[in-house]
């Protein structure tokens, strides 16, 4: 993976591409029931969608109005390329521009170290969400 481009936009603009990558990663790969993946918050969020040099969708994430980051998903073939970190940084920058003093997220425990590298810290309490172990994490600006 050499180059990628990230677009920010609302759900009306980015829904098709954000849904495609979330369906691939969460529903097909991680076996999360589709009815748990989609919620009313999508319409209220700022979305980020990453595209590779061939304009194919490779990643996404969303920023909720309250400063939570969620639905971070990167296509398996693009993992380790820096695209996830770039999406996360961009969403964090947008939260800071909005005046948020911190951002929070619920990380799958397998991704906890990814978020720690971006400056997030965990409270250490694990819980299950959609049958997958998670931990709550915060990054203060």
């Amino acid at each position: 993976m050499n180059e990628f481009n990230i677009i920010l936009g609302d759900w009306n603009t980015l829904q098709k591409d954000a849904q495609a990558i979330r369906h691939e990663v969460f529903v097909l790969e991680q076996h999360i029931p589709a009815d748990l993946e989609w919620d009313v918050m999508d319409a209220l969020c700022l979305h980020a969608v990453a595209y590779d040099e061939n304009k194919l969708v490779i990643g996404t994430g969303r920023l909720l109005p309250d400063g939570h980051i969620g639905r971070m998903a990167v296509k398996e073939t693009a993992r380790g390329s820096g695209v996830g970190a770039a999406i996360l940084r961009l969403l964090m920058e947008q939260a800071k521009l909005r005046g948020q003093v911190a951002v929070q997220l619920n990380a799958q425990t397998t991704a906890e170290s990814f978020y720690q590298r971006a400056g997030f810290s965990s409270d250490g309490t694990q819980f299950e969400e959609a049958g997958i172990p998670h931990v709550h994490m915060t990054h203060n600006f």
Side-chain angles (χ1 to χ4, degrees):
M1 177 91 19
N2 297 333
E3 294 182 29
F4 54 85
N5 183 38
I6 303 171
I7 303 294
L8 289 173
D10 63 15
W11 190 237
N12 288 336
T13 305
L14 296 175
Q15 178 179 359
K16 179 179 174 255
D17 291 340
Q19 275 186 327
I21 193 70
R22 285 166 51 183
H23 182 79
E24 180 177 335
V25 172
F26 296 130
V27 178
L28 298 180
E29 184 183 326
Q30 297 182 355
H31 308 291
I32 293 172
D35 61 322
L36 294 180
E37 178 52 31
W38 316 115
D39 63 26
V40 297
M41 295 308 295
D42 276 322
L44 306 174
C45 291
L46 174 68
H47 295 268
V49 176
Y51 301 87
D52 68 11
E53 61 273 8
N54 297 314
K55 297 184 176 24
L56 298 174
V57 181
I58 55 171
T60 192
R62 72 181 189 180
L63 176 64
L64 284 85
D66 67 358
H68 274 76
I69 292 174
R71 301 304 200 268
M72 290 281 300
V74 174
K75 189 176 186 76
E76 187 173 20
T77 55
R79 291 180 197 150
S81 69
V83 69
I87 292 169
L88 181 61
R89 269 193 314 275
L90 189 56
L91 292 174
M92 290 169 67
E93 288 169 9
Q94 292 300 307
K96 194 171 182 179
L97 287 171
R98 288 182 178 177
Q100 301 289 151
V101 297
V103 285
Q104 300 178 52
L105 53 81
N106 293 333
Q108 292 183 10
T109 55
T110 55
E112 187 174 2
S113 62
F114 166 80
Y115 293 108
Q116 286 172 336
R117 288 191 298 275
F120 281 81
S121 58
S122 154
D123 66 12
T125 305
Q126 285 192 26
F127 60 95
E128 278 203 12
E129 194 171 280
I132 298 172
H134 283 71
V135 63
H136 182 262
M137 302 186 82
T138 303
H139 180 283
N140 295 309
F141 295 120

